[in-house]
Amino acid sequence: MKKIGLTLSGGGVRGIAHLGALQALEEMGIQFSIISGTSAGAIAGAFYAAGYLPLEILAIVKKTKLFSIHNQKIWTAGLFDLKPMRDVIKEYIPDNSFEALDIPFYAAGTDLLKGQINYFSGGALDYAISASACVPFIFSPIEYRETLFVDGGVINNLPIEPIKDHCDYVVAIHVNGFNKTPKSIKKIDVVEKSLNLLIANSVLPKKSQCTVFIEPPGLEKYPLFSMKNADALYKAGYDHTISMKQEILLALK
């Protein structure tokens, strides 16, 4: 049987669209042998690799506001601290280790001191996932393994590299679309737009390396850190992936 790998991009709260897409893929009977993710994709990927179903992950995300800055604590320097995220991961994945996951999993994080990407695949899950999801300028860097980490999307927002040689097909889900023709921009949106631009260029060159590339349209209209559109984001991921059913099944035949 041929092996199918899954890569999930970052995208803040838009990562909820990953869950809708995964629900659609499950309904198609598609199973994954290896998973990688960045930031929000690392969160969704870790829970999925731990055996949670997409709707179960959605319920956890909505209950804990896992993708939102509003569930995090203010750090002394004025940034948000990701300890609440680590607490949620340890609560719902008690073994708190990559080794205990049902599916092999990689989380991409940016080593801020060395200026390079790191693919976590072992050790403490809570620190690795929070490191991968540590959006710069929003969250305080994660101190881990004698260095500092920020969001993996800074260097690699679609981490196919650690899985592509371990599977026959790669399915990528990208939820970080960018609106290139906004009518206006508010001051509060400057950081969000800047971050989007920063990470967008790491994705486009990789589309051709993916067997299936799923990119639900219209996600750019949803703010990166607001949970109020959770159900709409889930539906957007599900509807678009279902619309690709024949294309996906043919590609993975």
Side-chain angles (χ1 to χ4, degrees), residues 200-215:
N201 289 334
S202 69
V203 173
L204 294 179
K206 299 182 184 182
K207 290 179 66 173
S208 62
Q209 300 178 53
C210 302
T211 313
V212 174
F213 187 82
I214 300 170
E215 187 176 46

Side-chain angles (χ1 to χ4, degrees), residues 73 75 77 79-82 130 134-135 137-143 149-150:
K73 295 180 180 178
W75 190 48
L79 300 176
F80 288 90
D81 179 25
L82 282 170
S130 59
C134 187
V135 180
F137 316 125
I138 303 294
F139 300 114
S140 56
I142 298 296
E143 295 184 32
F149 286 98
V150 294

Side-chain angles (χ1 to χ4, degrees), residues 179 181-186 189 193:
N179 183 2
T181 57
K183 294 180 180 179
S184 62
I185 184 170
K186 300 176 182 178
D189 295 327
K193 297 294 184 183

Side-chain angles (χ1 to χ4, degrees), residues 6 28 47 53 94 122 129 131 139 143 145 167 183 199 205 207 234 240 252:
L6 172 69
M28 297 177 202
F47 276 84
L53 299 175
I129 301 308
F139 300 114
E143 295 184 32
R145 296 183 178 178
C167 56
K183 294 180 180 179
I199 65 180
K207 290 179 66 173
Y234 184 91
H240 180 68
L252 301 179

Side-chain angles (χ1 to χ4, degrees), residues 61-89:
V61 167
K62 291 168 74 172
K63 178 182 178 181
T64 64
K65 296 182 172 60
L66 193 55
F67 290 160
S68 174
I69 62 174
H70 301 297
N71 192 38
Q72 314 306 328
K73 295 180 180 178
I74 294 290
W75 190 48
T76 54
L79 300 176
F80 288 90
D81 179 25
L82 282 170
K83 183 180 183 301
M85 177 183 290
R86 297 198 299 274
D87 291 341
V88 170
I89 291 167

